[in-house]
Amino acid sequence: MTMGERIKQLRKEKGMTQTDLAHTLNVTKGTVSTWETNSRVPGFETLNALSDLFERRLDYIMGRSDDATPTTQNEDDLEDLGEDLWDEVEDADLDDFI
């Protein structure tokens, strides 16, 4: 899937029109249209804004990955991550750090 197709898909999933997305990002509807038709690509700051808005990673928005995992993690995910890291620290050989 191209970046333009992905932006269009995510916009529609949010129930937004091109005008809505343009207003949210402070660009013109025509600009959004050029992204969706792959005539132009958004700049880095705009890609970051799209990532925040759609809660998706940049590589997903750019069409380089099919992993649609949200960028935000819930409290349970963070707890699991902390436990995994703590287990690694407990299992580590201290000589490896000296």
Side-chain angles (χ1 to χ4, degrees):
M1 183 174 283
T2 67
M3 181 168 30
E5 293 168 331
R6 187 64 48 85
I7 291 171
K8 184 176 183 177
Q9 171 199 357
L10 292 168
R11 173 181 61 75
K12 287 184 172 191
E13 284 176 11
K14 275 266 199 219
M16 299 176 83
T17 65
Q18 286 184 342
T19 303
D20 295 334
L21 182 58
H23 180 71
T24 300
L25 298 173
N26 200 29
V27 298
T28 67
K29 177 187 176 290
T31 297
V32 173
S33 177
T34 63
W35 298 338
E36 292 185 0
T37 59
N38 295 300
S39 300
R40 292 181 58 201
V41 296
F44 185 72
E45 288 181 20
T46 304
L47 283 170
N48 277 329
L50 289 168
S51 177
D52 290 343
L53 175 66
F54 296 137
E55 297 179 343
R56 296 292 186 274
R57 300 181 196 299
L58 287 177
D59 59 344
Y60 180 77
I61 293 171
M62 295 174 74
R64 296 177 182 211
S65 168
D66 290 329
D67 180 4
T69 307
T71 56
T72 56
Q73 294 179 327
N74 64 35
E75 193 172 312
D76 290 338
D77 291 339
L78 294 175
E79 264 185 45
D80 290 344
L81 178 60
E83 289 172 12
D84 291 345
L85 289 173
W86 184 250
D87 289 344
E88 285 185 36
V89 169
E90 287 180 325
D91 293 341
D93 184 354
L94 292 179
D95 290 335
D96 292 341
F97 297 100
I98 300 175

